[in-house]
Amino acid sequence: MSKTSIERLPDARLQRCRASGATMGTRWSAQFHFEPGLDVDRVVAELGSAVATVDAQMSNWREDSDLARLNRAASGQWVDVPAELAHVLDRALGIGRDTGNAFNIGVGALAGAWGFGPGRGDTSAGAPGGGAAPVLQGALDIDVANRRARRNAEVALDLCGIAKGFGVDALGRVLGRHGIASWLVGIDGEMRARGRKPDGTPWAIAIEAPGFERRAAMGVIELEDAAVATSGDYRHWRDTDAGRIAHTMDPRTGEPVRNGVASVTVLAQDCMDADAHATALLVLGEHAGRAWAERHGLDMLMLVRGEGGIIRTIATGVFAAWARAGAN
């Protein structure tokens, strides 16, 4: 069930709506400014419906999702899928190819074996084994025009590294269809903004400190007509006899990422790309991740963890000036 509040602003022509609801094991949120005459109840209902649709199509936790249906299909069998799912699968393949398999949606079996998926393994004694995830070029075919997909190998697809970002974009599309020009939407820590607030200032977004025990902000960035997403080792993790492990899998090794990177935050035009690239750069690590971001002109903030906490900040693009200014 969604929650909605409406506030009248000093400018009598405008009101502000704040709305939120449950989705994908967390919550979506939206705030937007509007003029009298807008059917706010309809807009909020459409926001909830948009993220519910993404969850129904792309969740690997729901046995009735379209993704689960594709995962159950026989190898080599074409499966009809919704247009949105075909688009996300196709974009995921492209980002995987561009990042040298650092982003790979074929890690479903790995995530489960390490205790982070629907089929949770027992990791208390250490590594479950199983090897690297398959490179998906050739293992997965996407026919976007005809809205169908097929797996050519026994690979379990997992869209956790891109579906929330797509869900954020879906929230933004709802507000765009209603002609709303000033908004901020998000799912958990993935956010996207359009325009500026009525007072002319951009939207202020907190950058989270990568702490295991509590959530706190380490700084604020200004967001206008852009999206931001963060991947890190501190949101979903577990302790094992072999040490602490986090949920992000390195598809090249078949194990959780253990490269010292605590978090990666990425700015992009849409949240789907920001989400996937943040995951890819986390996997690539300190040196290769920075090189990739610089080569592709990506705005990235990477925090590297040491025994005494965060020991290194690596920033490219707009984040370089932000880091030099002291994250204020």
Side-chain angles (χ1 to χ4, degrees):
M1 180 178 295
S2 62
K3 297 181 180 179
T4 306
S5 66
I6 296 177
E7 175 185 359
R8 189 176 299 278
L9 300 180
D11 182 343
R13 294 176 300 126
L14 290 176
Q15 292 178 295
R16 176 170 57 205
C17 176
R18 300 178 188 267
S20 66
T23 188
M24 304 183 199
T26 182
R27 294 192 69 79
W28 64 267
S29 64
Q31 56 175 303
F32 56 91
H33 301 96
F34 63 96
E35 296 183 357
L38 181 72
D39 187 343
V40 175
D41 290 340
R42 177 184 173 185
V43 173
V44 173
E46 289 183 15
L47 289 169
S49 177
V51 291
T53 296
V54 175
D55 191 41
Q57 292 183 9
M58 304 180 196
S59 173
N60 64 322
W61 292 83
R62 293 178 50 164
E63 293 184 356
D64 63 343
S65 73
D66 293 290
L67 181 68
R69 183 167 51 84
L70 176 60
N71 277 333
R72 288 193 299 267
S75 178
Q77 176 186 344
W78 283 107
V79 177
D80 293 332
V81 297
E84 297 89 345
L85 177 54
H87 172 64
V88 171
L89 290 170
D90 186 61
R91 185 60 183 140
L93 282 182
I95 294 175
R97 180 177 56 251
D98 293 343
T99 58
N101 200 38
F103 184 75
N104 186 325
I105 59 172
V107 297
L110 288 175
W114 283 94
F116 294 105
R120 296 184 176 183
D122 178 10
T123 65
S124 60
V135 176
L136 289 184
Q137 281 71 35
L140 178 65
D141 292 329
I142 312 298
D143 183 350
V144 175
N146 293 301
R147 303 179 182 182
R148 60 180 187 162
R150 68 179 175 189
R151 300 175 308 131
N152 298 314
E154 290 302 321
V155 57
L157 304 174
D158 182 336
L159 295 176
C160 289
I162 195 170
K164 282 185 182 178
F166 181 81
V168 172
D169 293 333
L171 290 170
R173 283 190 288 272
V174 169
L175 298 179
R177 286 197 300 270
H178 285 276
I180 299 169
S182 172
W183 49 257
L184 176 69
V185 295
I187 298 177
D188 202 5
E190 329 297 15
M191 310 292 292
R192 184 170 177 175
R194 174 61 53 85
R196 291 184 168 226
K197 293 182 286 187
D199 64 4
T201 60
W203 298 93
I205 307 297
I207 298 295
E208 192 172 11
F212 288 107
E213 305 302 331
R214 67 186 183 90
R215 304 187 76 161
M218 62 168 286
V220 175
I221 62 169
E222 294 180 339
L223 203 63
E224 179 184 357
D225 296 332
V228 62
T230 299
S231 291
D233 67 355
Y234 58 96
R235 288 183 175 171
H236 305 291
W237 52 271
R238 57 188 298 176
D239 287 322
T240 73
D241 292 346
R244 180 167 292 178
I245 58 174
H247 74 290
T248 302
M249 297 292 115
D250 187 335
R252 305 164 303 175
T253 65
E255 298 182 356
V257 172
R258 290 190 177 100
N259 57 18
V261 177
S263 70
V264 176
T265 299
V266 169
L267 287 176
Q269 287 302 301
D270 62 70
C271 203
M272 176 177 66
D273 276 17
D275 194 7
H277 282 122
T279 300
L281 295 179
L282 180 69
V283 171
L284 286 172
E286 179 177 351
H287 302 294
R290 178 175 192 164
W292 197 95
E294 289 177 340
R295 188 164 61 249
H296 292 83
L298 199 67
D299 298 314
M300 177 202 73
L301 177 70
M302 179 182 289
L303 303 179
V304 181
R305 194 186 300 282
E307 291 185 4
I310 300 303
I311 60 172
R312 210 157 24 256
T313 298
I314 300 167
T316 64
V318 299
F319 278 116
W322 183 85
R324 287 194 298 269
N328 293 317

